[in-house]
C-alpha cells in the first residue's frame, strides 16, 4: 500500500518544525512507520545545499540560483528518501516542500510562480502531498519568535517586506489548492496549534481508513 505524504509549511517562527516532531510522535503511537525529513535537506547532498542557501556567509546566491539549488536538493530527496518510503507504505512528514519555493522564491524573491511551476513539473510532476499543513502567522510574530530562538540564518535576516510577500505567496497557494492545503492559525499557544494539526491529520487518516 502506498504511504502518506504530509508536508508542513510556514514562515519563520510558525512552529512547523516542532509541529512535525509532534505529529511524528502521535502517528508512531498509532502504529504508523514515520519518516521525518526536511527541505532543503533530507539527504547528504541536500544538507550541503541547505548550508549554501542558509548559512554560508562566504557564498551568495542570485534568486534564480537559490531556486535551482532548492530544486536540486528536492530532486535528490524525492528519489532517495520520499518515493522509497511511500512505496514501503510509510508516512512521510516533510518540513517544507514545493509550496515553500512558491512562497520564498516565487513570491519573496519575486521570480513568479511560472518559474517555480516549470521546475515543479520537471522534478516531481504529478507527485503532490496528500495533505499540506500551512501554519500561518503574522511576520512580526514569527520573526519575534525566531529571534528569541537564537541566531538567525541568512533568510531569517531578510526584510519585513520580504516576509510579507512570503506570507502572501503561501496564502495564494492555499487558496488555489483548498482540497489539499489546510491553513492552521499558528498564533495561539503551541498546544492549541498542535491540536489543530492533529485534527487535520486524523481527518486524513479516517478518510483513508487508517488507524487513529
Amino acid at each position: 500500500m502506498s504511504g502518506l505524504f504530509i508536508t508542513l509549511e510556514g514562515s519563520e517562527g510558525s512552529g512547523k518544525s516542532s509541529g512535525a516532531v509532534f505529529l511524528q510522535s502521535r502517528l508512531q503511537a498509532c502504529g504508523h512507520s514515520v519518516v521525518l525529513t526536511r527541505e532543503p535537506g533530507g539527504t547528504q547532498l541536500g544538507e550541503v545545499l541547505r548550508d549554501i542557501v542558509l548559512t554560508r556567509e562566504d557564498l551568495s546566491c542570485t534568486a534564480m540560483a537559490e531556486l535551482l539549488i532548492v530544486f536540486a536538493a528536492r530532486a535528490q530527496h524525492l528519489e532517495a528518501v520520499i518515493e522509497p518510503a511511500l512505496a514501503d507504505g510509510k508516512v512521510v512528514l516533510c518540513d517544507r516542500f514545493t509550496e515553500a519555493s512558491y512562497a520564498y522564491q516565487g513570491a519573496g524573491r519575486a521570480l513568479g510562480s511560472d518559474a517555480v511551476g516549470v521546475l515543479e513539473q520537471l522534478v516531481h510532476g504529478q507527485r503532490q502531498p496528500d495533505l499540506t499543513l500551512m501554519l500561518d502567522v503574522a511576520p512580526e510574530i514569527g520573526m519575534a519568535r525566531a529571534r528569541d530562538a537564537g541566531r538567525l540564518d541568512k533568510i531569517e535576516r531578510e526584510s519585513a517586506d520580504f516576509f510579507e510577500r512570503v506570507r502572501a505567496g503561501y496564502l495564494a497557494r492555499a487558496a488555489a489548492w483548498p482540497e489539499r492545503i489546510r491553513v492552521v492559525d499558528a498564533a495561539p499557544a503551541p498546544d492549541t496549534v498542535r491540536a489543530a494539526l492533529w485534527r487535520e491529520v486524523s481527518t486524513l487518516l479516517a478518510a483513508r481508513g487508517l488507524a487513529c
Side-chain angles (χ1 to χ4, degrees):
M1 183 185 71
S2 178
L4 290 177
F5 186 20
I6 300 172
T7 58
L8 290 93
E9 296 282 358
S11 58
E12 280 61 29
S14 63
K16 61 177 177 50
S17 299
S18 59
V21 172
F22 163 77
L23 290 176
Q24 178 188 33
S25 176
R26 289 296 302 265
L27 285 163
Q28 287 173 335
C30 294
H32 297 285
S33 179
V34 181
V35 173
L36 177 60
T37 188
R38 68 178 183 176
E39 289 207 348
T43 65
Q44 185 176 4
L45 174 63
E47 293 297 326
V48 172
L49 296 176
R50 178 187 181 90
D51 187 45
I52 291 172
V53 171
L54 296 181
T55 64
R56 285 288 300 273
E57 300 292 350
D58 59 322
L59 293 175
S60 62
C61 298
T62 66
M64 182 57 73
E66 183 179 278
L67 177 64
L68 293 170
I69 288 170
V70 168
F71 266 99
R74 183 164 298 135
Q76 184 80 1
H77 194 201
L78 279 158
E79 184 170 341
V81 176
I82 295 173
E83 294 293 357
L86 293 175
D88 285 343
K90 297 177 181 178
V91 178
V92 176
L93 285 174
C94 192
D95 183 341
R96 292 204 174 115
F97 193 60
T98 301
E99 261 62 57
S101 297
Y102 280 99
Y104 280 82
Q105 286 81 40
R109 303 290 191 212
L111 288 175
S113 60
D114 288 349
V116 182
V118 168
L119 291 170
E120 177 184 27
Q121 285 300 309
L122 181 64
V123 171
H124 58 91
Q126 298 304 308
R127 168 63 74 192
Q128 294 291 344
D130 296 287
L131 173 66
T132 296
L133 299 165
M134 185 174 291
L135 284 80
D136 178 54
V137 67
E140 60 270 21
I141 296 174
M143 286 311 302
R145 292 173 176 174
R147 285 191 293 269
D148 288 344
R151 185 167 179 260
L152 302 180
D153 63 36
K154 291 195 292 186
I155 289 182
E156 288 170 338
R157 296 198 299 270
E158 287 288 347
S159 68
D161 287 346
F162 173 83
F163 289 112
E164 290 288 355
R165 294 194 299 274
V166 168
R167 187 188 191 191
Y170 267 136
L171 294 176
R173 290 292 293 171
W177 294 83
E179 70 281 5
R180 173 172 65 82
I181 302 174
R182 299 287 189 267
V183 179
V184 175
D185 183 3
D191 285 349
T192 301
V193 176
R194 290 167 188 164
L197 293 175
W198 183 243
R199 281 195 298 271
E200 296 290 355
V201 173
S202 296
T203 299
L204 175 63
L205 294 175
R208 301 293 177 90
L210 300 173
C212 282

